[in-house]
Amino acid sequence: MATTLELQHTEKDTPYSEDDLTDEQIEELLARATARLQEKEKAKDKQLSKHTEQSLNFPKLDAGHLEKPYVSTKGDVATIDSSRLLDQKQRKKAEGTRKVEDPLSARKAADEKRKATAGSDWFNLPKTDLTPELKREFQLIKMRNVLDPHRHYKKEGGKMKAPEYSQVGTIIEGPTEFFSGRIENKKRKRTLVEEVLAGEQETHRFKNKYAQLQEKKTSGKKAFYKALKEKRKGGIKKASKG
């Protein structure tokens, strides 16, 4: 369309008609029209780029402090700063010795650690450390039917066997048991054996029981011996008469 307008404008300016134009003149007119179109396009692009630069005005970015490069060049030789390849922590691990564990030993240690407690279902109850004091406690518990004659417990035969997992603690009474289930501080003892011995000093129950047993064993001992001698003498006399 622009070419057509250019041709029309040229026809008005030139005294020649369309039939009088030569090929060279037509090419010249087309070249002028093309040049004008290119100038208009360049002007539009320039105006658009200027508008874009004004609307997109980015601030300058501050890169901050940049680390010094690891590689430095001196002439044709490039050198590496080996001290900066690893930090001090990683270098210490790399230069130090590493402990390699035997898988069988590690598995054995893990099994021992697992067997050291009764497991999470039993609140990780520790394994029983059978000390002499704890052994006496278990023996006393086994003979608990002797401590209180008014209570009856299930009889257990055989020797005392300590549990595989156990823990010793102190029972703390609640606020509602202040008068019914509380033990006075002066009566509290460190172990169960000490509590039993302290109770024996007050009641003398075991001492009296021992005295009764001794009296039962010693009573009538001389009379029984005399009766046995008389019986033997009577048997000898009957044999001599016969």
Side-chain angles (χ1 to χ4, degrees):
M1 182 177 179
T3 307
T4 306
L5 292 174
E6 183 66 26
L7 291 174
Q8 290 176 359
H9 178 72
T10 308
E11 288 175 358
K12 292 179 181 179
D13 293 341
T14 57
Y16 303 101
S17 62
E18 186 176 355
D19 296 334
D20 296 336
L21 292 175
T22 61
D23 294 338
E24 294 178 356
Q25 291 175 345
I26 293 173
E27 289 181 1
E28 184 180 356
L29 292 174
L30 290 174
R32 289 179 182 178
T34 304
R36 288 181 181 180
L37 285 175
Q38 290 178 353
E39 288 179 359
K40 289 181 180 180
E41 292 293 334
K42 287 181 180 180
K44 288 182 180 180
D45 293 341
K46 187 176 181 180
Q47 187 177 3
L48 181 62
S49 62
K50 186 177 181 181
H51 178 70
T52 305
E53 289 178 358
Q54 291 177 355
S55 60
L56 301 175
N57 188 13
F58 294 103
K60 293 184 179 180
L61 298 177
D62 185 11
H65 176 69
L66 298 177
E67 292 290 339
K68 186 179 178 181
Y70 296 98
V71 181
S72 59
T73 306
K74 293 182 180 180
D76 297 335
V77 180
T79 57
I80 299 176
D81 188 2
S82 59
S83 62
R84 299 182 60 203
L85 294 177
L86 292 174
D87 56 5
Q88 294 297 329
K89 187 176 181 180
Q90 296 294 333
R91 183 176 294 278
K92 188 175 181 180
K93 288 183 178 180
E95 294 178 354
T97 56
R98 183 180 178 184
K99 183 180 179 181
V100 180
E101 295 183 355
D102 184 13
L104 296 177
S105 301
R107 187 181 302 173
K108 185 178 179 181
D111 292 341
E112 290 178 355
K113 185 178 180 181
R114 180 175 54 83
K115 293 179 180 179
T117 61
S120 58
D121 294 340
W122 293 91
F123 305 99
N124 296 322
L125 199 66
K127 204 167 186 178
T128 302
D129 184 14
L130 193 60
T131 60
E133 293 181 356
L134 188 59
K135 187 176 181 180
R136 286 195 295 268
E137 298 283 330
F138 285 129
Q139 289 175 346
L140 189 61
I141 292 173
K142 186 175 178 63
M143 297 184 294
R144 60 186 179 274
N145 55 346
V146 181
L147 301 177
D148 191 352
H150 302 290
R151 291 186 180 183
H152 301 280
Y153 300 95
K154 181 180 178 181
K155 293 184 179 180
E156 297 180 2
K159 295 182 179 180
M160 187 276 304
K161 292 183 179 180
E164 186 177 0
Y165 301 98
S166 64
Q167 194 171 19
V168 180
T170 303
I171 299 176
I172 300 176
E173 64 278 354
T176 58
E177 300 174 343
F178 185 80
F179 296 102
S180 59
R182 186 177 68 90
I183 301 176
E184 297 178 1
N185 292 333
K186 62 181 180 180
K187 293 183 179 180
R188 292 178 184 270
K189 302 300 178 182
R190 190 174 60 88
T191 61
L192 184 61
V193 177
E194 292 180 359
E195 288 185 6
V196 173
L197 294 177
E200 171 61 19
Q201 290 179 359
E202 294 181 1
T203 60
H204 302 287
R205 178 176 174 274
F206 295 128
K207 186 176 181 180
N208 296 334
K209 188 69 175 177
Y210 178 77
Q212 291 177 6
L213 292 174
Q214 292 297 324
E215 184 180 356
K216 185 177 180 181
K217 287 182 179 180
T218 56
S219 62
K221 191 172 183 181
K222 292 183 179 179
F224 177 78
Y225 181 70
K226 288 181 179 180
L228 183 61
K229 286 178 68 176
E230 292 294 333
K231 188 176 181 180
R232 288 178 178 176
K233 287 181 180 180
I236 294 172
K237 289 179 179 180
K238 288 181 180 180
S240 60
K241 287 181 180 180

